[in-house]
Amino acid sequence: MSDQKVPRPGEHEVLCLGEAMVLVAPQRGQRLAAARDATLGVAGAESNVAQYLADLGHSVAWASRVGTDPLGDRVLTAVAQPGVDVRHVERDPSAPTAVYFKDPSPEGGTRVQYYRAGSAASRITPAYLDRLPIGSARLVHLSGVTAALSASCAATATDLFGRAREAGVLRSFDVNYRPALWRTEDAAAPLLALARNADVVFVGLDEAAEVWGTTTAEDVRDLIGPSVSVVVKNAEVGAVLFASGAGDAGTFVPAEQVEVVEPVGAGDAFAAGYLSAWLRGAERAERLRLGHRVAAFALGSVDDHVDATSLRDVPLAAGPDGAAR
């Protein structure tokens, strides 16, 4: 399969599928129980990636479902603002747009409270994929959050990767394990199956240990298998890429040293930076470096998406074969 597939005129380079929610965050880092004021924002794993990819100059579509409520209007406006195409998002008059709250804590970091059960996005089914331009994209991206929302969403995630494979479209998967959405014993097998069906996988070393019991980056690579490019992130330490193919020793790039305001959303930013460089044929270390640079924007803000257009024209060294894998 060629990873230099070029989209036809008027079609999208990247298609991201997953839920976006209205975000409620207390001002000045206050605890949710004590806060008197809060700000409203929009966030979601795949929509964050879509927005950062648009910042970086890619043609991106985000697919999902939202309610016909004002919160759905807010989500569509926010995601579209950087240039993401939201025309394929469906409105559901009988289900709400999801909401989540941030609860900052000096002791335990920021925690989140989800209100997404029965949301419009949780009602996505494989039939929705019939209405999406999967075959004309160069890359599809989703995360483990989508599979956690409902049985129909899990089936849709699996079907999306199956359809993309048949169409010769690259598949990107961020494990993004969320214990608030499902138990470890329920998540381990579905997340591993999706990872093994992707072309590139992003996973944190800590979440891999929690979900799969692996202890090293090499263990994660061995578990997922040699046919997949695996990026293992280790927080402030850095990230290592194991390229697809047996025997790859891995390429490590340390994380940038930044003052962390909040880590929420940084993983999505990293994935977008890596994917942008990957799609542009950059060599391995360059992909990781751009991932870290975009993640630094998110780490320095309480917002899940921070304008990263300043990185759009950053020069990237091409790989020896100009390929994205």
Side-chain angles (χ1 to χ4, degrees):
M1 174 176 58
S2 171
D3 38 32
Q4 291 300 302
K5 179 176 181 177
V6 177
R8 303 181 189 93
E11 297 176 334
H12 300 293
E13 190 177 13
V14 183
L15 173 66
C16 300
L17 183 147
E19 183 170 59
M21 302 162 287
V22 167
L23 161 65
V24 182
Q27 293 186 355
R28 298 177 295 277
Q30 294 176 313
R31 293 302 304 271
L32 195 57
R36 297 178 60 88
D37 302 299
T39 58
L40 293 183
V42 170
E46 295 88 355
S47 60
N48 288 343
V49 172
Q51 289 175 285
Y52 280 115
L53 281 170
D55 287 345
L56 296 170
H58 298 276
S59 173
V60 188
W62 171 64
S64 188
R65 301 179 84 245
V66 297
T68 54
D69 46 31
L71 299 184
D73 297 338
R74 191 181 189 102
V75 166
L76 290 175
T77 299
V79 176
Q81 194 279 327
V84 176
D85 189 342
V86 299
R87 78 181 75 177
H88 302 291
V89 177
E90 296 183 345
R91 308 296 296 266
D92 189 334
S94 61
T97 303
V99 178
Y100 88 104
F101 292 76
K102 285 186 177 180
D103 186 19
S105 169
E107 299 82 19
T110 299
R111 299 178 181 179
V112 297
Q113 300 291 325
Y114 290 126
Y115 295 86
R116 61 200 310 180
S119 69
S122 73
R123 297 185 176 188
I124 292 174
T125 69
Y128 175 50
L129 301 178
D130 295 338
R131 301 184 286 279
L132 300 183
I134 297 170
S136 62
R138 187 173 166 198
L139 169 77
V140 296
H141 175 79
L142 60 81
S143 81
V145 173
T146 299
L149 295 180
S150 66
S152 66
C153 283
T156 303
T158 299
D159 199 8
L160 173 64
F161 274 3
R163 296 186 189 207
R165 180 188 291 274
E166 291 177 0
V169 176
L170 295 165
R171 292 146 289 148
S172 166
F173 180 62
D174 191 338
V175 172
N176 243 337
Y177 171 61
R178 294 291 182 265
L181 295 178
W182 52 355
R183 300 177 302 173
T184 302
E185 55 267 35
D186 297 325
L191 291 176
L192 183 58
L194 285 167
R196 287 175 171 170
N197 279 297
D199 289 294
V200 61
V201 171
F202 304 94
V203 61
L205 187 60
D206 55 347
E207 67 179 337
E210 184 174 0
V211 178
W212 298 320
T214 51
T215 58
T216 68
E218 288 75 14
D219 289 340
V220 178
R221 183 268 318 272
D222 292 342
L223 179 68
I224 295 175
S227 65
V228 181
S229 291
V230 180
V231 179
V232 184
K233 302 168 293 178
N234 189 7
E236 69 276 4
V237 176
V240 59
L241 161 64
F242 297 102
S244 59
D248 185 74
T251 301
F252 174 80
V253 172
E256 293 202 352
Q257 298 301 305
V258 298
E259 182 179 351
V260 178
V261 174
E262 187 180 79
V264 178
D268 305 323
F270 179 94
Y274 180 96
L275 291 173
S276 177
W278 192 45
L279 289 166
R280 291 155 63 186
E283 58 99 4
R284 299 175 186 180
E286 293 276 43
R287 302 174 215 165
L288 297 172
R289 288 192 190 98
L290 188 57
H292 287 314
R293 293 185 68 178
V294 181
F297 280 78
L299 290 168
S301 172
V302 295
D303 297 323
D304 281 32
H305 171 251
V306 183
D307 184 359
T309 53
S310 61
L311 297 178
R312 178 174 293 189
D313 297 320
V314 64
L316 299 172
D321 56 0
R325 290 180 67 192

